[in-house]
Amino acid sequence: MLIDTYGRVATDLRVSLTDRCNLRCMYCMPEEGLQWLAKPDLLTDDEIVRLIDIAVRLLGIEEVRFTGGEPLLRPGLAGIVERVASLAPRPQTSLTTNGIGLKRTASALKAAGLDRVNVSLDTLRPDVFKTLTRRDRHKDVIEGLFAAREAGLTPVKVNAVLMPGMNDDEAPDLLAWALEHEYELRFIEQMPLDAQHGWKREGMVTAGDILASLRTRFDLTPEGADERGSAPAERWLVNGGPQRVGVIASVTRPFCAACDRTRLTADGQIRTCLFAAEETDLRTALRSGAPDEEIARIWRLAMWGKKAGAGLDDPSFVQPDRPMSAIGG
């Protein structure tokens, strides 16, 4: 079991498979990209599967989410998914992606054992997409979403970040479109995880702003805390249901008290929080021949030291050195 001093138990593992990405989203990384991790620093396929096996078999992990960077850029992704889906007990498996490569990979990932996907799409307007991501790939994402739904990677969830002066007027249109195509839309407040350290609380589009905009066209009924559990998204029934919309308000409505996540970076570091300044190295123990029980012990110790919250409301908060692209969403 992965438990911390506040009694929270981690059952959800987020695994970053690569720090590389084929987009350059304004809220994540600079246009010129970043200094990528050297290949020898990255975990191999066998190392990733072994660590996930330890997490599932010895530490009580029940869900595994593959992230990046962009995880579809990882060679051998389908093989990793297949091996993880074959573990006992079998964890639920999902993938967070920008959707660009889903059209060609969705069916193979489903056949390998992937259960569902989260796809990032911030706008319905191709020109705005090009500005936000610095790439002209809007059509590819739309086609990837369709392929995921057709392959049965459901529920297909769409993640959207609204930026002031860019797409902050699109919330109702995005929701109407998601309802039409049977995707579950979730808005995410912009978080201080950009490589440029350009995030500013002032002027950010908040959960309150998003809900106010949605209510100009839709009737929203809170789903309630019992239904939410440890999920990061607060959800509302749209026009009485059954379809829903979610808002992940990491900044203005933090949900740290119910957090059940632990994170493994592409280079083998454990992060107990997306905003953590500290990491715990598993790669060295793994490559020095440590047995599974010793690696599990290191992981438990890291989890025991997890802080009460992200500290975003603390004036002394220091943005993590690693951008979101390097530690997974």
Side-chain angles (χ1 to χ4, degrees):
M1 178 182 293
L2 287 171
I3 189 169
D4 65 28
T5 55
Y6 300 93
R8 296 169 297 192
V9 178
T11 58
D12 185 337
L13 171 61
R14 308 294 171 97
V15 181
S16 174
L17 298 178
T18 178
D19 59 330
R20 296 174 183 265
C21 189
N22 43 13
L23 296 180
R24 297 291 181 269
C25 297
M26 295 175 65
Y27 51 78
C28 186
M29 69 170 74
E31 186 170 6
E32 64 273 15
L34 299 168
Q35 179 82 35
W36 306 124
L37 292 168
K39 187 173 181 179
D41 293 336
L42 293 170
L43 295 177
T44 66
D45 293 2
D46 288 344
E47 289 171 337
I48 289 170
V49 174
R50 182 184 170 196
L51 288 175
I52 295 174
D53 175 58
I54 291 170
V56 168
R57 186 167 41 83
L58 300 180
L59 298 173
I61 290 297
E62 300 172 356
E63 300 178 43
V64 176
R65 170 90 58 89
F66 297 106
T67 70
E70 172 45 51
L72 294 183
L73 295 179
R74 173 87 188 203
L77 172 61
I80 294 173
V81 171
E82 184 173 22
R83 292 169 68 183
V84 170
S86 299
L87 297 176
R90 184 196 189 282
Q92 291 184 329
T93 58
S94 60
L95 178 84
T96 294
T97 171
N98 62 31
I100 288 175
L102 267 181
K103 182 179 179 180
R104 59 179 173 78
T105 58
S107 294
L109 289 171
K110 179 64 177 179
L114 190 69
D115 294 317
R116 63 171 189 83
V117 293
N118 288 34
V119 180
S120 298
L121 180 66
D122 303 322
T123 177
L124 298 177
R125 305 193 293 251
D127 58 325
V128 176
F129 182 93
K130 186 175 180 179
T131 300
L132 279 169
T133 67
R134 304 174 176 115
R135 299 291 186 272
D136 190 9
R137 306 297 298 272
H138 188 265
K139 181 174 179 287
D140 296 315
V141 180
I142 298 296
E143 291 178 347
L145 277 160
F146 179 79
R149 189 186 65 194
E150 293 301 295
L153 293 170
T154 55
V156 176
K157 297 184 179 181
V158 176
N159 296 338
V161 176
L162 299 183
M163 300 286 287
M166 299 288 297
N167 60 339
D168 52 346
D169 61 335
E170 286 197 67
D173 290 339
L174 280 164
L175 181 53
W177 170 83
L179 296 175
E180 177 187 354
H181 294 282
E182 300 182 337
Y183 304 136
E184 185 173 325
L185 179 63
R186 308 187 319 167
F187 292 98
I188 303 176
E189 287 183 335
Q190 183 195 2
M191 294 179 285
L193 290 169
D194 58 307
Q196 314 88 287
H197 290 201
W199 177 85
K200 295 287 188 297
R201 181 183 293 269
E202 302 78 18
M204 65 171 285
V205 182
T206 67
D209 298 330
I210 294 165
L211 292 170
S213 179
L214 292 176
R215 286 186 169 118
T216 63
R217 283 171 56 183
F218 301 96
D219 178 49
L220 303 182
T221 305
E223 191 175 52
D226 291 341
E227 290 290 334
R228 180 182 184 184
S230 60
E234 290 183 80
R235 297 190 300 190
W236 285 261
L237 296 174
V238 181
N239 296 336
Q243 291 175 295
R244 299 168 297 191
V245 64
V247 179
I248 299 177
S250 301
V251 178
T252 63
R253 304 181 185 182
F255 40 86
C256 302
C259 181
D260 66 348
R261 286 166 291 286
T262 183
R263 300 174 183 275
L264 176 65
T265 68
D267 55 349
Q269 310 300 306
I270 289 298
R271 296 179 68 90
T272 58
C273 174
L274 194 59
F275 303 100
E278 305 86 15
E279 298 177 336
T280 299
D281 181 17
L282 292 185
R283 187 185 64 199
T284 298
L286 192 70
R287 293 181 177 177
S288 65
D292 291 356
E293 292 74 14
E294 173 60 13
I295 292 172
R297 185 194 68 80
I298 297 171
W299 205 329
R300 288 191 193 99
L301 189 61
M303 189 66 187
W304 187 250
K306 184 172 182 173
K307 294 181 178 179
L312 298 182
D313 56 350
D314 187 334
S316 64
F317 171 76
V318 177
Q319 183 172 326
D321 289 335
R322 291 212 203 202
M324 184 161 52
S325 61
I327 55 181

